[in-house]
Amino acid sequence: MPVGQDHVGRAHPQPAYDYTRLTMEGVAARARTGKQVLYRRWRNRADFVIAAMRHHSGSIADRVPDTGSLREDVLALLRLMSERQREVGPDVIHGLMAEAGDRKPEAVEIMHGVMTTLLERAVERGEVPTAELPERIVTLPVDLLRHEIVLSDWPVTDSTLEEIVDDVFLPLVTGHG
């Protein structure tokens, strides 16, 4: 039986799954297929787990917040990312970050696009003077959240997300700080 989108849900790791014990052999056995079938679709377990996460809860890029406020949009985005960490657990997130080396440019590009969308909307609303900012500033809230996730086994608190947005990001993009 081929493994495709319809079977990802059945074979994906459950929340807080032990990433170190996840193997493509185990996934193939659970899906009643061959390992080679999995490798035709996913290059490695990191790609498989990312696909499973997107199948389970969608891509964050497909759920760009639009609350009417840059602050609330960025907080909503960070909360989505933080919730994903809670859903799958720190072991999975840490394993993905360690193994998904060649996917990092893709992740940066996706989040740069999401943050650019939020900034462009904020410009239209008159909240910020420009969306033409250095890439490092555009992705700063997301990068700081990733940093928090990597350095901790605990879920990131809402107060940490608010500090990232209110104390670091908004002063940079609004010019008030």
Side-chain angles (χ1 to χ4, degrees), residues 8-19 22 30 49 52-53 56-57 82-93:
V8 173
R10 189 171 90 190
H12 74 73
Q14 297 301 310
Y17 191 88
D18 183 358
Y19 188 81
L22 176 69
R30 185 169 173 193
V49 170
M53 289 168 54
H56 176 70
S57 48
S82 185
E83 181 58 32
R84 179 158 287 169
Q85 178 206 15
R86 283 186 198 88
E87 286 175 3
V88 299
D91 289 343
V92 172
I93 297 296

Side-chain angles (χ1 to χ4, degrees), residues 13 26 40 42 65 69 72 83 105-106 108 141 144 151:
R40 272 187 241 138
W42 302 285
S69 152
E72 294 305 316
E83 181 58 32
E106 175 191 344
V108 169
L144 289 173
L151 293 181

Side-chain angles (χ1 to χ4, degrees), residues 72-139:
E72 294 305 316
D73 286 350
V74 177
L75 281 172
L77 175 66
L78 297 181
R79 286 177 183 130
L80 282 170
M81 293 176 66
S82 185
E83 181 58 32
R84 179 158 287 169
Q85 178 206 15
R86 283 186 198 88
E87 286 175 3
V88 299
D91 289 343
V92 172
I93 297 296
H94 292 159
L96 286 174
M97 289 182 164
E99 287 186 15
D102 60 338
R103 292 188 64 109
K104 287 178 185 167
E106 175 191 344
V108 169
E109 184 179 309
I110 289 169
M111 295 316 294
H112 185 273
V114 170
M115 288 300 300
T116 298
T117 298
L118 298 183
L119 285 163
E120 287 170 348
R121 289 178 187 159
V123 169
E124 290 171 9
R125 292 189 298 260
E127 293 180 85
V128 295
T130 183
E132 299 297 320
L133 299 164
E135 183 175 321
R136 197 170 301 277
I137 292 175
V138 171
T139 60

Side-chain angles (χ1 to χ4, degrees), residues 27-63:
V27 171
R30 185 169 173 193
R32 297 185 198 138
T33 191
K35 207 170 52 164
Q36 69 280 11
V37 173
L38 298 177
Y39 282 117
R40 272 187 241 138
R41 185 167 181 96
W42 302 285
R43 293 174 298 167
N44 53 44
R45 73 177 172 171
D47 283 354
F48 171 76
V49 170
I50 290 167
M53 289 168 54
R54 287 180 176 160
H55 177 77
H56 176 70
S57 48
S59 172
I60 290 174
D62 294 335
R63 301 180 348 208

